[in-house]
Amino acid sequence: MSQTVKLAVGSLVVGLLVLALKTLAWAMTGSIALLSDAMESTVNVVAAIVALIAVRVAAIPADANHPYGHHKAEFLSAVLEGAMIIVAALLILREATLGFLDPRPLVAPVGGLLVNGAASVVNAVWCWVLITRGRKLRSPALVADGRHLLSDVVSSVGVTIGVLAAISSGWLWLDPALAALVAVNVLWSGWRVMSSSVSGLMDESVSDDVLARVREVISLEAVGAVEAHDLRTRHAGRVTFIDFHLVVTGATTVAAAHDICDRIEAALHREVPDSRISIHVEPEHKAKHNGIVVL
């Protein structure tokens, strides 16, 4: 089992634990704000299942029908997770509206808040693990899951503070008001998750920093060639695709051109792990004199 899949399984286990704790906290207090927190955790569990499926699909090797691999499954997972987050926000807004129309006093709030606080601590630790490890493994699904959990932690802290304020002041309307604020925060989280994933589905280029490093590697390692041009990059999950044209002189043999390409590819693999490189060799008259200068 790969590290990515292990983390996805861990997310599911943690999500179920947190959901159980938050549901217990709501049952102990009757707070709509805590109910909204539990509803968001329901989405976390579903999102963890989707992420687990996505990372397993993304790990399937390339085949005849998918010659470039299945890496984009993680982006699809993140988009679906964002959509589910938005649905959860709408459901929370519904509960908040009902709470405004029929406010009710809270029951045994201190014990419920302690249970909810324990769930928030578990979430905070796990979201840190997901974001740090997800970035290292270049897994959009795990990073998206971690960012969603981070918004859940922020919501939980705000809910706890607000419910304490509602208890001390006796203002029952604070409880549904907090639920509405949680819904707004959840909506923002869903938008961020979806927007960051759509770029991958649209074959967005790598970041400027990575692109600069790629250009530098080609410039340094293409000794014996004339120039490189038409550089294109895109990322799909943890894999980066790089392709460009390499111009060589007429005196360059096929074997020599192949050696240059091998040298460039080896250097790019060291600089950009999990990269897939395609180099098109061209004769000298194809030079455009506006690409990458070979040092």
Side-chain angles (χ1 to χ4, degrees):
M1 188 183 297
S2 68
Q3 293 185 50
T4 307
V5 174
K6 288 179 180 178
L7 287 169
V9 172
S11 285
L12 180 57
V13 174
V14 171
L16 289 170
L17 172 62
V18 170
L19 175 59
L21 289 173
K22 289 190 175 183
T23 302
L24 175 61
W26 164 63
M28 292 173 65
T29 62
S31 167
I32 297 176
L34 293 183
L35 171 60
S36 69
D37 220 7
M39 290 175 67
E40 186 175 3
S41 293
T42 303
V43 177
N44 291 348
V45 172
V46 178
I49 295 173
V50 173
L52 175 58
I53 295 172
V55 295
R56 289 183 68 87
V57 172
I60 297 174
D63 53 35
N65 292 326
H66 304 87
Y68 293 99
H70 302 76
H71 313 291
K72 285 191 176 182
E74 293 199 47
F75 288 123
L76 290 171
S77 161
V79 171
L80 180 57
E81 181 175 342
M84 288 189 297
I85 292 172
I86 292 173
V87 171
L90 296 176
L91 292 175
I92 293 170
L93 281 174
R94 176 182 178 276
E95 293 298 324
T97 302
L98 294 175
F100 273 118
L101 296 175
D102 184 22
R104 297 179 181 180
L106 304 181
V107 181
V110 176
L113 288 177
L114 289 175
V115 173
N116 206 65
S120 297
V121 171
V122 173
N123 254 352
V125 173
W126 190 247
C127 84
W128 177 81
V129 171
L130 282 180
I131 292 175
T132 53
R133 296 296 298 162
R135 285 175 176 168
K136 186 174 182 180
L137 295 170
R138 303 179 70 191
S139 171
L142 292 181
V143 173
D145 207 13
R147 285 176 176 169
H148 180 208
L149 286 183
L150 180 59
S151 73
D152 193 9
V153 172
V154 173
S155 296
S156 297
V157 172
V159 164
T160 301
I161 295 173
V163 171
L164 287 173
I167 295 168
S168 60
S169 65
W171 295 342
L172 298 181
W173 59 266
L174 273 178
D175 189 35
L178 285 168
L181 288 176
V182 169
V184 172
N185 181 62
V186 171
L187 276 173
W188 175 244
S189 171
W191 167 251
R192 288 184 59 192
V193 169
M194 291 184 71
S195 61
S196 63
S197 302
V198 168
S199 64
L201 289 173
M202 296 298 292
D203 287 336
E204 185 177 63
S205 176
V206 298
S207 66
D208 291 341
D209 290 342
V210 174
L211 186 60
R213 295 204 305 270
V214 168
R215 293 178 64 90
E216 183 180 6
V217 167
I218 296 173
S219 178
L220 292 173
E221 300 296 334
V223 177
V226 176
E227 69 170 29
H229 57 246
D230 292 350
L231 171 64
R232 298 185 303 175
T233 64
R234 65 183 177 90
H235 60 93
R238 65 180 180 275
V239 177
T240 301
F241 292 88
I242 304 169
D243 67 80
F244 60 93
H245 295 187
L246 184 70
V247 178
V248 297
T249 64
T252 305
T253 64
V254 173
H258 189 269
D259 289 341
I260 296 172
C261 291
D262 282 348
R263 188 169 64 243
I264 296 172
E265 288 180 11
L268 285 174
H269 283 308
R270 290 193 298 269
E271 186 66 32
V272 186
D274 291 316
S275 55
R276 305 289 186 270
I277 304 158
S278 177
I279 306 175
H280 177 69
V281 178
E282 295 184 330
E284 193 168 3
H285 72 272
K286 292 285 188 178
K288 295 186 176 180
H289 307 294
N290 62 354
I292 301 172
V293 178
V294 177
L295 299 179

